[in-house]
Amino acid sequence: MGQTKFQKMIFTLLMCFFMVLGMTIYNMILNEGLSNQFFIHLLKEFWLGFMVALIIDLFIVGKLAKKIAFKLVKPTPETKPIKIILAISSCMVIGMVLFMSMYGAILAVGFNLTTLKIYPLCIARNFIMALPLNLLVVSPLVRFLFPKIPFEKIEKTVSNEDLSMNSDLVTETEF
């Protein structure tokens, strides 16, 4: 979703935010259960996971997932958008689960042989949650919220600020 680079970035941020939030809650409940420190641990663990996931999404998985999805579903004027959405979402989930399960395993036990032993279990546990979370909750939620964002106002404000900052730089460098 999104027409401009800015809109596509916002869509990616929203998808990543809600997926990492949901998966962090899921994994914390599996590993620690619910405790009186749950929300404190969530706040601590979420942000690092979000940053790692966003970097992996932007630079590795997002690009690969689209290439693979477009080989599976060839976009033509007759192709239903839902087929493309499902193909991209499924490929994204597979890629992100593979990377983020390794991140979670390393976070849990450090980087050692135990990490490699628990990695397949992490993949299985995460995949069975990530796919339905993405397809049934996060993607519909973000696709509902996304059109409500006033992009025209935001992009106009951002571009006006960029212009005024650039003109300040020009006048400063002229002297």
Side-chain angles (χ1 to χ4, degrees):
M1 262 185 112
Q3 303 302 316
T4 66
K5 284 185 179 183
F6 179 72
Q7 290 175 2
K8 290 176 183 177
M9 183 63 180
I10 297 299
F11 183 80
T12 300
L13 283 168
L14 288 171
M15 286 296 294
C16 190
F17 178 89
F18 287 115
M19 282 301 296
V20 172
L21 181 62
M23 292 304 294
T24 302
I25 291 169
Y26 168 73
N27 279 294
M28 285 179 61
I29 290 171
L30 281 180
N31 296 326
E32 303 170 17
L34 289 173
S35 69
N36 57 354
Q37 298 293 311
F38 182 82
F39 288 106
I40 293 168
H41 291 162
L42 177 63
L43 287 174
K44 287 180 184 176
E45 292 182 22
F46 170 76
W47 293 109
L48 180 60
F50 174 69
M51 287 185 265
V52 169
L54 186 61
I55 290 167
I56 292 169
D57 183 340
L58 290 173
F59 296 109
I60 303 169
V61 174
K63 294 174 183 184
L64 285 171
K66 287 178 185 169
K67 284 181 185 177
I68 294 167
F70 290 142
K71 286 183 180 181
L72 295 172
V73 177
K74 307 246 185 291
T76 64
E78 295 83 37
T79 307
K80 293 183 180 178
I82 190 68
K83 285 185 178 180
I84 297 169
I85 292 168
L86 291 174
I88 293 172
S89 293
S90 298
C91 291
M92 285 293 298
V93 166
I94 292 167
M96 291 303 291
V97 163
L98 291 174
F99 279 98
M100 293 305 289
S101 293
M102 179 57 76
Y103 163 79
I106 292 169
L107 203 62
V109 297
F111 190 68
N112 54 44
L113 286 176
T114 306
T115 306
L116 297 176
K117 289 178 184 174
I118 68 168
Y119 180 59
L121 176 63
C122 292
I123 291 171
R125 285 183 6 181
N126 287 325
F127 185 76
I128 62 170
M129 181 62 179
L131 190 62
L133 178 66
N134 184 301
L135 297 178
L136 302 175
V137 179
V138 173
S139 189
L141 174 66
V142 171
R143 289 173 192 283
F144 172 77
L145 294 174
F146 192 77
K148 297 178 179 1
I149 299 172
F151 284 110
E152 294 81 26
K153 289 181 181 179
I154 296 169
E155 289 173 341
K156 194 173 191 178
T157 303
V158 170
S159 65
N160 286 342
E161 288 175 5
D162 286 346
L163 288 174
S164 66
M165 285 174 42
N166 289 339
S167 64
D168 291 344
L169 290 174
V170 170
T171 40
E172 288 175 20
T173 57
E174 288 177 347
F175 293 99

